Structure formats: structure tokens, C-alpha cells
């Protein structure tokens, strides 16, 4: 048996799961399917299957922490299969109660473990024992000490076994979460704005547009003591906490149940009316938007822009209300998250106009597209390396 240790930063978004495992980034659609039987087993050798394993992720999961054990297709495999792809509901499902984050985290980490073990030994192990320290987050309007503890215990207290299918071969991965810390979304971003992955003040192209707009020469240190209003536009929610340095203003730890996923759902309905009443998932529709060569790309982009006006207005009006409640005592409005990429064309100008008002002395930092979807996972990874070891040591010492 191979014994393996992982340090995992896990951003379980409604649309995408982004994880950093021992500093290596992995991204996949955050969806699964429940097939009735395994895929066709061919006789391909592991060396031909291992490189693409995470795109063909087929696992059997048995865990105390989920309602239905059994066979799952994870991520990209789920989307392209003939089975229904299940995603988190953007309207009603609470992340700490959902089985999806458990299923997809177990499946993805087990797949990565199989890949890494093969790269190390050049042969397929029959059994792997995986020990995981993990930092993850919940939306601010779902996070409190009770829900954070409940979510962490679903990982730490459960017995988890994952069978990973590699063609006609199988690998058993026993997963033990030795320590899990759940923090509110927004907190990781502070680490990522202020610091780089090496513990220095951040100083890269993330601030280029901000520097040009305000004629400033700044690095991460500039944001260390600022009152920052976050606008993290996700799939199902937009988290909008107010932070000062690394701390929350407890009167403004909030968010709204509005995100790009609601716009995508409306755009899919329009797409079905215009093109075909076929069954497409949010992840498939997002693929149309991302892939500039896809035949449906232009139509998908047009429909999403048409559909997002209500969500854009809701987010803008919410920020206006939040600034009033804070007596306009905000230094920075910082916009990021996967939804910020599509919404920039419609939301940037009204927020910039708001920031330019004499009674609102705020500056607008719109995180560039290449960084926006990864702000939480990169920040979680910094938290994982700098803060989590101290918390773990302290907690173990108190037992």
C-alpha cells in the first residue's frame, strides 16, 4: 500500500471546483452523474489512460457522509456522458448540507492520488492510503461557527473509500481528512490580494488596470489596512463582505442570492426557444461561452448578456445600499469571481460612476479575467500554508 499526504486548498464553486494540491492547481466542472453501470472496459494499459484520468474520472464512492454511495462520473466525464449531470442548485441548496462537495472532492482527490502514485512508481498501485489537511470556504451568508463545524465534520468524521477506475483496472483509495478548516469566502481573497504564494507583498499584473486608472504605484501592502467592500460574483450567490485588513466588519458580513447562474438558467431557456429544446446543463452552456470556436458561441454570449440585466441591477443596487449603511466609509470596491468576467461590460461603468461621486471616496479594483475565478482558491492556498498549521497545532494541543 502507498501512503500519501496532501495539503489541499478547495474552492467548491457552484459552477467550477478549483483545488490546489501541494501547490498544484486543478480545475473541473463541479458536477457529477450517477451511471447505472461502469463504462466499457477496454484493455488499454495504464500509461495511456493516466494522463487524461481526471477528464475521464469514474469512481465508486462509499462514505458515511453522503446519502447515496455507488458509481459516479465526476466533472468533465459527467457532462459528456448520456446521464443527467447534477450540479448544486443556485436557488435553494446550502453548500454545507449538499452531498456534491463531498462527492466531487473525494472523487477528484482520489483521482489525483492515483495519477501522482503512478508518476512516482510507473506502475498502478492496488491500494492508496490518503491523508488530507484541507482549507475550504462557505458563502458568507451560509457561514457561521455551527455550519463551518458541520461542514468540516462531514469530511473529518466520515469513513471514505473511493474505487478509481483506470480502464479495466481499479485502485482503492482510502481517504482520511486529518484536519479541515472552513472559513467564510472573502477571507481567502484578502490573503491573495496582499500576499503572493511566497509570503511577499503581491506585485504583479493584477493591479495594472488599477494603477493606470488612479495613477498609483501600489503593491499588496497598499490593501493591508484598507476598508474593502468585496463583490464576489459567483454562480448562485454574490458575497459582499466588508473587510478591514484581514478582519471582517461583523456588521457587514453578508451577500445576496444572486449570481451568474441565475442569468445562465434564463439564457438556457431562451437558447432552447431559439435553437433546440435539447437538455443542456449550465456547464455545457458555459463551455459554449468560453469556446470562441464553438458554433453556438456567439448566440450563447448574446443570450447571456441579454439575460443578466436583472442580476447586474440587483448587485449594483445592493452595493449602493451597503455603502449607505456603511456611511460611505469604504476605501476599495473589489470585484472578482467567475461571474465578474461576463458582467464587466454591464456592471463596471455604473460601479465606477458610483465610486467617482464626491460623497463616495472609494476606488474600484476590478480583478482581471485571468485572476478573477481563482481568487478564493489562491487565497485558500496561502491560508493553508501560513495559518492552518498554527490552528491545527493549537487545536490538537487543546485536546
Amino acid at each position: 500500500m502507498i501512503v500519501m499526504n496532501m495539503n489541499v486548498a478547495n474552492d467548491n464553486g457552484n459552477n467550477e471546483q478549483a483545488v490546489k494540491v501541494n501547490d498544484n492547481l486543478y480545475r473541473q466542472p463541479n458536477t457529477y452523474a450517477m451511471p447505472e453501470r461502469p463504462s466499457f472496459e477496454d484493455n488499454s494499459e495504464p500509461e495511456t489512460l493516466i494522463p487524461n484520468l481526471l477528464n475521464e474520472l469514474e469512481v465508486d464512492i462509499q462514505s458515511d457522509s453522503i446519502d447515496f454511495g455507488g458509481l459516479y462520473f465526476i466533472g468533465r466525464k459527467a457532462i459528456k456522458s448520456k446521464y443527467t449531470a447534477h450540479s448544486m442548485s443556485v436557488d435553494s441548496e446550502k453548500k454545507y448540507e449538499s452531498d456534491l462537495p463531498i462527492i466531487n472532492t473525494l472523487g477528484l482527490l482520489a483521482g489525483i492520488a492515483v495519477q501522482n502514485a503512478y508518476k512516482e512508481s510507473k506502475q498502478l498501485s492496488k491500494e492508496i492510503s490518503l491523508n488530507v489537511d484541507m482549507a475550504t470556504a462557505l458563502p458568507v451568508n451560509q457561514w457561521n461557527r455551527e455550519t463551518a463545524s458541520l461542514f468540516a465534520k462531514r469530511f473529518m468524521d466520515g469513513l471514505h473509500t473511493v474505487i478509481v477506475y483506470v480502464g479495466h483496472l481499479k485502485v482503492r483509495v482510502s481517504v482520511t481528512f486529518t484536519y479541515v478548516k472552513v472559513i467564510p469566502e472573502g477571507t481567502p481573497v484578502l490573503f491573495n490580494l496582499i500576499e503572493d504564494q511566497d509570503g511577499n507583498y503581491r506585485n504583479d499584473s493584477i493591479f495594472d488596470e488599477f494603477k493606470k486608472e488612479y495613477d498609483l504605484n501600489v503593491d499588496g501592502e497598499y490593501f493591508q489596512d484598507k476598508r474593502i467592500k468585496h463583490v464576489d460574483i459567483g454562480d448562485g450567490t454574490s458575497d459582499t463582505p466588508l473587510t478591514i485588513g484581514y478582519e471582517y466588519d461583523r456588521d457587514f458580513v453578508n451577500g445576496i442570492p444572486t449570481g451568474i447562474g441565475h442569468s445562465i438558467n434564463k439564457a438556457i431557456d431562451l437558447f432552447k426557444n431559439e435553437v433546440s429544446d435539447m437538455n443542456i446543463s449550465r456547464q455545457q452552456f458555459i463551455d459554449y461561452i468560453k469556446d470562441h470556436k464553438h458554433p453556438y458561441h456567439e448566440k450563447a454570449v448574446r443570450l447571456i448578456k441579454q439575460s443578466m440585466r436583472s442580476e447586474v441591477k440587483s448587485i449594483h443596487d445592493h452595493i449602493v445600499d451597503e455603502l449607505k449603511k456603511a456611511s460611505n466609509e469604504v476605501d476599495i470596491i473589489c470585484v472578482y469571481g467567475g461571474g465578474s468576467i461576463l458582467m464587466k461590460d454591464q456592471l463596471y461603468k455604473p460601479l465606477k460612476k458610483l465610486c467617482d461621486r464626491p460623497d463616495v471616496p472609494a476606488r474600484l479594483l476590478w480583478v482581471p479575467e485571468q485572476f478573477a475565478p481563482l481568487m478564493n482558491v489562491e487565497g485558500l492556498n496561502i491560508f493553508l500554508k501560513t495559518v492552518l498549521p498554527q490552528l491545527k497545532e493549537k487545536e490538537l494541543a487543546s485536546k
Side-chain angles (χ1 to χ4, degrees), residues 90-147:
V90 299
D91 294 309
S92 57
E93 205 166 5
K94 291 181 170 58
K95 196 170 293 185
Y96 59 88
E97 294 177 338
S98 172
D99 281 354
L100 186 144
I102 312 294
I103 292 166
N104 282 16
T105 297
L106 288 172
L108 181 57
L109 295 186
I112 294 169
V114 170
Q115 272 192 333
N116 289 349
Y118 187 85
K119 289 174 187 175
E120 192 73 26
S121 64
K122 300 303 179 187
Q123 60 184 13
L124 201 64
S125 307
K126 289 187 176 180
E127 193 161 357
I128 298 171
S129 177
L130 178 59
N131 301 306
V132 180
D133 278 359
M134 185 170 78
T136 190
L138 288 172
V140 292
N141 59 355
Q142 295 181 23
W143 187 94
N144 57 47
R145 292 185 186 279
E146 184 179 343
T147 59

Side-chain angles (χ1 to χ4, degrees), residues 236-273:
T237 61
S238 291
D239 290 338
T240 59
L242 179 66
T243 57
I244 308 165
Y246 289 101
E247 299 297 326
Y248 275 100
D249 184 325
R250 292 294 168 186
D251 293 324
F252 295 94
V253 180
N254 56 14
I256 54 174
T258 297
I260 195 68
H262 300 276
S263 305
I264 291 170
N265 287 343
K266 289 186 287 186
I268 288 173
D269 289 338
L270 293 172
F271 182 87
K272 288 179 178 179
N273 289 333

Side-chain angles (χ1 to χ4, degrees), residues 35-97:
E36 297 152 5
R37 60 182 65 87
S39 298
F40 171 74
E41 294 184 1
D42 60 25
N43 291 317
S44 299
E45 291 304 312
E47 62 263 25
T48 66
L49 302 174
I50 286 291
N52 199 41
L53 182 65
L54 301 185
N55 289 326
E56 299 289 341
L57 196 50
E58 182 175 347
V59 296
D60 188 306
I61 298 176
Q62 301 299 325
S63 169
D64 300 334
S65 299
I66 61 175
D67 290 332
F68 301 103
L71 194 62
Y72 289 94
F73 293 164
I74 305 291
R76 187 67 57 189
K77 174 83 170 177
I79 291 175
K80 66 183 185 181
S81 77
K82 66 180 181 180
Y83 301 99
T84 301
H86 298 274
S87 302
M88 234 170 321
S89 169
V90 299
D91 294 309
S92 57
E93 205 166 5
K94 291 181 170 58
K95 196 170 293 185
Y96 59 88
E97 294 177 338

